[in-house]
Amino acid sequence: DGIGSQMDRVMTEEQWLQKWETGNTGFHKEQGHPLLRKYLDVLLNGRSGLRIFFPLCGKAVEMKWLADMGHDVVGVEVSEKALKEFFAEHGLPYCKEPVPEISGAKKFQCTSGNISLYCCSIYDLSSSVVGKFDGVWDRGALVAVNPCDRQRYVSLMITLMEKNSSYLLVTVSYDPSKHKGPPFYVPESEIKSLFG
């Protein structure tokens, strides 16, 4: 069946980097994602000054939007080009420094302080490096990770969440026999079994 045909599909880090290098980033939303605006109250739950995590953040404009509301935003992304474009497009000054705990990783820190973006594989992160989060905006991450890595991804995400954390997840619904992904099709039953 369609889902079965996607289960062994693998996108390499190089393929994702290539998408950024060639500007093949149809997944990037210039105006931000309407579902975040719609469900922002669910994510924030009346709280202010949250730490919010953007897995596989790309150059998501919502990072600036939430930072401007006074939240601390942390993202992770393999493409350095995407992160540099984020700061350039918003006119934000930043500094770049190595991450001692992760070989080869870089941290891009907005000089105004409340946006920190890690350039590395998400699987290199841990709560000892980035701390824990009050909210997660997973707009294109779970649907982008290789299906064989979903359990590993979700297990990591759970370790990064505070007790009363809100996790806002966007998935895509389509006939998986007609599109090979990414974004991959993740049925609701699988979401329930992954996150419990």
Side-chain angles (χ1 to χ4, degrees):
D1 70 335
I3 301 180
S5 68
Q6 281 193 352
M7 275 335 223
D8 44 16
R9 178 130 157 79
V10 171
M11 280 278 291
T12 64
E13 204 167 276
E14 284 66 36
Q15 286 172 290
W16 284 110
L17 290 171
Q18 190 60 32
K19 281 180 179 288
W20 282 104
E21 288 306 319
T22 56
N24 178 15
T25 53
F27 46 82
H28 174 69
K29 290 203 180 329
E30 295 288 342
Q31 303 306 316
H33 202 295
L35 289 175
L36 181 58
R37 288 176 193 269
K38 185 175 176 183
Y39 293 104
L40 184 64
D41 296 347
V42 177
L43 183 66
L44 302 180
N45 196 13
R47 303 168 296 170
S48 57
L50 302 188
R51 295 193 79 231
I52 299 175
F53 186 49
F54 279 67
L56 316 190
C57 62
K59 54 175 183 175
V61 297
E62 295 90 339
M63 297 192 287
K64 169 102 171 33
W65 191 51
L66 285 165
D68 287 346
M69 287 179 205
H71 302 291
D72 276 320
V73 170
V74 176
V76 61
E77 167 60 49
V78 292
S79 169
E80 187 167 328
K81 184 171 192 274
L83 299 181
K84 285 178 170 165
E85 285 179 8
F86 169 77
F87 289 108
E89 287 167 15
H90 295 284
L92 293 171
Y94 67 92
C95 55
K96 186 169 99 171
E97 56 191 53
V99 182
E101 303 93 332
I102 305 169
S103 169
K106 301 180 192 87
K107 178 182 175 183
F108 290 73
Q109 177 85 42
C110 181
T111 33
S112 66
N114 60 341
I115 303 177
S116 309
L117 307 181
Y118 289 80
C119 187
C120 61
S121 161
I122 189 165
Y123 303 115
D124 288 335
L125 291 186
S126 64
S127 57
S128 64
V129 178
V130 291
K132 294 196 174 213
F133 298 95
D134 309 299
V136 177
W137 169 238
D138 186 332
R139 181 244 127 166
L142 178 66
V143 296
V145 300
N146 293 321
C148 58
D149 291 330
R150 269 178 206 155
Q151 188 62 64
R152 180 186 182 196
Y153 170 82
V154 171
S155 301
L156 169 66
M157 295 307 284
I158 289 170
T159 67
L160 297 179
M161 291 165 71
E162 294 282 14
K163 291 262 186 292
N164 58 348
S165 189
S166 313
Y167 194 110
L168 201 52
L169 172 68
V170 179
T171 60
V172 278
S173 187
Y174 63 84
D175 176 352
S177 63
K178 297 200 170 39
H179 175 70
K180 62 184 181 173
F184 298 109
Y185 174 64
V186 189
E188 192 169 351
S189 56
E190 185 170 355
I191 292 165
K192 287 195 167 79
S193 67
L194 282 167
F195 285 97

